[in-house]
Amino acid sequence: GQNIDQPTEMTATEGAIVQINCTYQTSGFNGLFWYQQHAGEAPTFLSYNVLDGLEEKGRFSSFLSRSKGYSYLLLKELQMKDSASYLCAVVDSNYQLIWGAGTKLIIKP
Amino acid sequence: GAVVSQHPSRVICKSGTSVKIECRSLDFQATTMFWYRQFPKQSLMLMATSNEGSKATYEQGVEKDKFLINHASLTLSTLTVTSAHPEDSSFYICSADRDRGEQYFGPGTRLTVT
């Protein structure tokens, strides 16, 4: 079967750095997305990785290792507004999106 | 965890026909469901917010007469693409909003219009 694993919840301190991991087992791979979603709102796109390596975009970076079936989202200089759920989603060989359940990130002052 | 299903997972239709996509929350009631479309390697684009028992709220640029949404019960929302054209070919994803504002996504429906 196809599976995406993320931690259910993480807590971090304002100003710190946090890494949210995502591991996947899917039938084929055509890219991996990270989304941010605040409670009651639609998810917003953060990053897309299809090749191995690190993609940096401001305070957020996303890393992919296809051989390990692994990705992480790195958030630096955490702000209170970063409190949200972070969704990992993989595009499989049929271009179907396989979603992780999301990681709820709680930022404490 | 909460489960959301979509049916069909894939559909191919001819230009000019209509296609209905169902979104069901299987183990919880959802007063709000969202419909998204996504082109390959692009982000989700919110099309509309579907509220049980009331009219859907459409995002700017989304034709409400073309994309008909019905949220007749707390576990079912449907999206009907009317008079489909090849440019409507896309990946349509729904999500269901559980209480506390958490959203759970369906697996998506790939629509191909020939």
Side-chain angles (χ1 to χ4, degrees), chain A residues 35 37 40-41 43 45 95 97, chain B residues 36 38 43 101 103 105 107 110:
Chain A
Y35 290 90
Q37 185 174 33
E41 298 179 12
F45 169 79
Y95 286 94
L97 268 171
Chain B
Y36 301 86
Q38 185 175 38
S43 180
Q103 284 191 44
F105 291 88
R110 184 156 299 282

Side-chain angles (χ1 to χ4, degrees), chain A residues 5-102:
Chain A
D5 287 315
Q6 305 178 234
T8 304
E9 188 172 295
M10 298 181 71
T11 302
T13 304
E14 190 175 15
I17 298 173
V18 71
Q19 177 175 310
I20 302 174
N21 295 324
C22 171
T23 58
Y24 62 89
Q25 298 97 36
T26 57
S27 56
F29 178 84
N30 281 299
L32 184 145
F33 288 93
W34 282 97
Y35 290 90
Q36 180 193 60
Q37 185 174 33
H38 288 98
E41 298 179 12
T44 56
F45 169 79
L46 289 178
S47 67
Y48 172 76
N49 294 68
V50 67
L51 300 176
D52 290 349
L54 186 68
E55 296 271 349
E56 295 184 86
K57 191 183 296 184
R59 293 189 299 116
F60 293 2
S61 303
S62 56
F63 171 83
L64 175 67
S65 169
R66 288 172 296 172
S67 62
K68 295 181 179 179
Y70 167 69
S71 174
Y72 68 73
L73 180 70
L74 190 71
L75 291 77
K76 302 177 184 176
E77 301 170 15
L78 286 170
Q79 302 173 10
M80 297 303 292
K81 67 178 182 179
D82 297 328
S83 292
S85 288
Y86 291 86
L87 306 169
C88 171
V90 172
V91 185
D92 70 7
S93 57
N94 293 318
Y95 286 94
Q96 293 272 333
L97 268 171
I98 311 301
W99 292 93

Side-chain angles (χ1 to χ4, degrees), chain B residues 23-26 28-30 33 52 71-77:
Chain B
C23 176
R24 293 181 185 273
S25 56
L26 298 184
F28 67 99
Q29 294 182 328
M33 290 184 173
E52 186 267 337
H71 194 157
S73 78
L74 288 171
T75 59
L76 174 64
S77 176

Side-chain angles (χ1 to χ4, degrees), chain B residues 16-66:
Chain B
T17 61
S18 295
V19 174
K20 180 186 283 188
I21 303 170
E22 293 185 349
C23 176
R24 293 181 185 273
S25 56
L26 298 184
D27 55 356
F28 67 99
Q29 294 182 328
T31 54
T32 305
M33 290 184 173
F34 300 88
W35 286 97
Y36 301 86
R37 69 185 294 182
Q38 185 175 38
F39 293 102
K41 300 182 181 180
Q42 293 186 26
S43 180
L44 291 170
M45 185 193 80
L46 180 65
M47 297 175 67
T49 301
S50 168
N51 297 297
E52 186 267 337
S54 64
K55 291 183 179 180
T57 304
Y58 290 82
E59 296 298 299
Q60 191 173 7
V62 178
E63 300 174 60
K64 59 183 180 181
D65 293 331
K66 180 169 183 62

